[in-house]
Amino acid sequence: MVARYVGRRLTQATFVLWLAATLAFVALQLTPGDPAQALLAASGATPEEVAERRAQLGLDDSLPVQYTRYLLDLIRGDLGQSWLHGRPVGQMILEQLHPTLELALASMVVGVVAGLGLGVLAAVRRGTWLDTFATTLAVLGLSTPTYWSGLLAILLFSLQLGWLPATGEGDLRHLVLPALVLGFALSGSIARLVRARVVEVMEEQFVLAARARGLPSWRVLFVHVLRSALAPALTVTALQFGFLLGGAVVTESVFARRGLGKLAVEAITWRDLPVVRGVVVFGALAYVLVNLAADIAQAWLDPRLREELT
Amino acid sequence: MIEWTTPVRRPLLRQPAALSALGWLALIGLGAGLAPLLAPAGPLAADTTRGLLPPGPGGPLGTDLLGRDILTRLLWGSRWTLGIGLMALVVTVGLGLPVGIVAGTFGGRIEAVLMRLVDALLAFPSLLLAMAVVALLGPGVSSVAVAVGLAAAPAYARMARSAALEVRTQPYVEAARALGSSEWHVLMRHVLPNAAPPLVAFAATQLGWVLLDGAALNFLGLGVPPGTPEWGAMLAEGRGYLRDAPWASTFPGLVLTLTVLAANLAGDGLQEALRPR
């Protein structure tokens, strides 16, 4: 049953998240440095104040106690306190989430549309110049750093043509260039997978049968072939969600946008480790949830998988 | 129609794209090795009277704000960028290969434990993971190489495991087991050599990834010190005067993209060339 499959995937996802959170905890524990000292470093606190803060933060407790508290806090959405600002990390992430999410979603739309289009085009016209063109674009997408394509886009569309703003955020016009740049990078892996899948599907019995029945080729393409290409496109997009988040960080820097990227880079520069850990754990959470959703959606979409499960 | 989809094995010599890719990588490697001979002035030789010269007689690829020659810096920079990439690749393969092969060969509880760990690491977006490792180790060149290599290792372990799994069920491996070979013997004598071809191809693809991520961290200012001719750092530096001297950031980006593209094409080509018959 689908319900049982969902249950199993849910258990798996929880386990992976727990392990990821534990790794993040261990990594921070292994790092030398006293968090209380770090928190109070700027204000020039006395040793007594630091000791008091240590007790306040629970840093004098045994490791198992600290670990349990960390996990319980995490479940409640509490990601700890920034050493630099003394503010809750979860709140800092939420404040920066909107622009990053906006960029990630817009790039995803660009990447999926371009990737599906290129992949199907290459598969249907396999062996022709169109195939070569589409597969070349795909591998270029995989290879081009967004921090270069972004600069080229700014050069051409902002500085030369003056069509779009180069940096900053606000209205939709600010989103166009970053989304195109990151979407292009994403489209490469989607296109390659979709092409392979469509090539496979076109050889399958039901497509051959539909052709033999004399259905017009566009109908075969749209009804049968495209539908079976959607499921793998969904999976690969979900798998690339981590790439998308990382890419958003760099793209934000290129276009001087606010967002998680700026937060993370600043935190690393100042060694504000709780913030770094918060962003990374948050990224893992988002990644696992997106993939869980994609797997469940695919279980509904793909008739063969549905049969396997029932 | 059917024979079209059957994957064909194609020797490298008959793949022009992969050949030119390998040629480009060799050229970059040569440039890195011969940089002191080709550009004896060095990447830091500045001359502010010759700042922001466009490509031409003043310098084949122009000069940057401080009058440093871009081509010279690119040549010397290949040492940084390629060096970081190769170091990262060593970390990736050094960690991913044993974990994946052991998991795939031994199976059972060992495999379960190792692969759950790999899954947990894969849950972190790889560039974010690399950034976090840099934060823990402190910014710097070797931190970047280790971080990027570490972030790419789980994917390589996955690949190594599936390659080992494929070999594990082959009749000759079962025969060796039936004849009483130890698991280690099976691993070293049968699994590793037979699983190697796809793993070599995947290593080339991974080189592309670690080059991209390594240069990204340098672009973000988390790696090499300011002024270093690393390609990602050059890109970031040139961004400051993009309008006046687009060549200062465009050329490092172009060379980096071509190198990553070459690694990807070499990976694709090796995959076709090393495909089992």
Side-chain angles (χ1 to χ4, degrees):
Chain A
M1 263 320 286
V2 175
R4 210 166 68 200
Y5 170 73
V6 171
R8 207 176 61 221
R9 280 294 285 112
L10 210 61
T11 319
Q12 249 174 30
T14 315
F15 182 74
V16 164
L17 270 180
W18 166 73
L19 207 54
T22 303
L23 285 176
F25 176 80
V26 172
L28 202 58
Q29 285 297 327
L30 290 179
T31 318
D34 180 359
Q37 188 101 48
L39 254 173
L40 297 174
S43 54
T46 61
E48 290 77 38
E49 279 171 326
V50 172
E52 193 186 325
R53 197 55 185 267
R54 278 189 66 83
Q56 228 175 46
L57 290 171
L59 292 170
D60 296 325
D61 297 333
S62 68
L63 265 190
V65 172
Q66 287 195 46
Y67 174 64
T68 314
R69 192 170 40 227
Y70 161 76
L71 280 187
L72 289 177
D73 282 351
L74 211 55
I75 293 169
R76 286 188 293 123
D78 181 352
L79 289 167
Q81 245 189 6
S82 155
W83 288 351
L84 191 64
H85 305 286
R87 298 181 49 214
V89 172
Q91 199 185 330
M92 291 170 71
I93 289 178
L94 278 184
E95 283 166 8
Q96 301 299 325
L97 190 58
H98 182 251
T100 302
L101 217 55
E102 196 178 75
L103 173 59
L105 287 180
S107 316
M108 200 188 263
V109 172
V110 173
V112 169
V113 170
L116 262 179
L118 286 175
V120 171
L121 185 75
V124 172
R125 293 272 174 264
R126 192 164 36 140
T128 67
W129 67 270
L130 268 172
D131 184 11
T132 315
F133 172 74
T135 43
T136 307
L137 262 186
V139 75
L140 267 177
L142 278 182
S143 311
T144 312
T146 53
Y147 42 94
W148 186 52
S149 48
L151 286 190
L152 291 185
I154 289 176
L155 258 179
L156 181 62
F157 294 107
S158 305
L159 299 184
Q160 288 288 329
L161 300 170
W163 288 354
L164 291 160
T167 54
E169 71 259 60
D171 57 0
L172 217 56
R173 284 158 34 90
H174 287 93
L175 193 58
V176 176
L177 287 185
L180 282 180
V181 161
L182 188 54
F184 173 58
L186 179 67
S187 72
S189 42
I190 298 180
R192 279 160 74 110
L193 201 99
V194 165
R195 179 184 182 278
R197 177 75 187 125
V198 171
V199 163
E200 232 174 74
V201 168
M202 300 228 319
E203 311 282 328
E204 266 178 34
Q205 297 294 331
F206 68 92
V207 174
L208 293 180
R211 279 194 169 157
R213 284 209 311 273
L215 289 181
S217 54
W218 61 266
R219 214 189 125 81
V220 175
L221 182 68
F222 277 94
V223 176
H224 296 286
V225 177
L226 258 187
R227 212 170 59 188
S228 33
L230 271 180
L234 185 71
T235 312
V236 72
T237 308
L239 285 175
Q240 291 291 326
F241 188 73
F243 165 81
L244 208 56
L245 277 183
V249 165
V250 180
T251 311
E252 276 168 10
S253 164
V254 175
F255 291 95
R257 286 171 62 87
R258 276 190 321 123
L260 285 184
K262 196 160 172 248
L263 184 69
V265 172
E266 253 171 34
I268 294 170
T269 315
W270 295 100
R271 269 180 84 77
D272 193 352
L273 294 181
V275 174
V276 177
R277 179 175 72 184
V279 171
V280 169
V281 168
F282 176 80
L285 175 72
Y287 178 82
V288 169
L289 287 183
V290 163
N291 276 280
L292 187 67
D295 281 354
I296 293 171
Q298 185 166 19
W300 288 104
L301 268 179
D302 193 329
R304 280 169 313 161
L305 204 65
R306 210 157 49 209
E307 256 166 53
E308 249 172 64
L309 295 170
T310 42
Chain B
M1 225 172 168
I2 304 226
E3 58 267 44
W4 250 25
T5 43
T6 328
V8 206
R9 184 188 168 112
R10 270 200 304 166
L12 268 186
L13 281 178
R14 289 180 45 201
Q15 300 186 50
L19 274 184
S20 13
L22 288 173
W24 173 259
L25 289 177
L27 194 70
I28 295 291
L30 210 65
L34 298 180
L37 289 176
L38 295 171
L44 302 176
D47 178 358
T48 37
T49 58
R50 300 177 62 247
L52 299 187
L53 290 180
L61 301 181
T63 62
D64 68 5
L65 187 66
L66 300 175
R68 298 174 298 194
D69 183 56
I70 300 283
L71 181 61
T72 302
R73 286 175 69 73
L74 282 179
L75 276 170
W76 285 86
S78 58
R79 295 183 155 201
W80 291 96
T81 304
L82 278 194
I84 292 173
L86 289 177
M87 248 170 82
L89 191 64
V90 169
V91 173
T92 301
V93 177
L95 287 175
L97 185 71
V99 167
I101 293 277
V102 164
T105 312
F106 291 157
R109 201 166 290 171
I110 301 180
E111 179 180 27
V113 170
L114 287 177
M115 293 327 282
R116 288 300 80 74
L117 258 177
V118 167
D119 283 345
L121 281 174
L122 276 174
F124 295 112
S126 76
L127 192 63
L128 284 188
L129 181 61
M131 288 169 76
V133 176
V134 169
L136 291 178
L137 298 176
V141 179
S142 43
S143 309
V144 164
V146 169
V148 168
L150 200 72
Y156 199 80
R158 264 264 173 96
M159 194 74 188
R161 171 177 163 267
S162 59
L165 273 182
E166 212 154 284
V167 178
R168 183 165 78 170
T169 51
Q170 297 290 321
Y172 58 84
V173 174
E174 282 171 13
R177 280 220 176 89
L179 288 172
S181 299
S182 75
E183 287 290 328
W184 273 112
H185 181 84
V186 168
L187 191 157
M188 299 306 286
R189 285 297 296 277
H190 299 289
V191 176
L192 205 52
N194 286 296
L199 294 179
V200 171
F202 194 57
T205 310
Q206 289 283 66
L207 177 64
W209 273 115
V210 295
L211 280 173
L212 268 185
D213 280 2
L217 292 182
N218 282 315
F219 174 83
L220 292 173
L222 303 175
V224 297
T228 312
E230 196 278 336
W231 295 344
M234 283 176 72
L235 240 168
E237 212 182 306
R239 180 168 63 147
Y241 34 91
L242 187 66
R243 187 190 290 271
D244 303 311
W247 53 86
S249 48
T250 315
F251 285 122
L254 178 66
V255 175
L256 176 65
T257 303
L258 284 176
T259 309
V260 176
L261 181 68
N264 275 325
L265 291 177
D268 290 353
L270 283 170
Q271 207 185 350
E272 279 191 33
L274 300 173
R275 196 165 261 152
R277 282 172 209 277

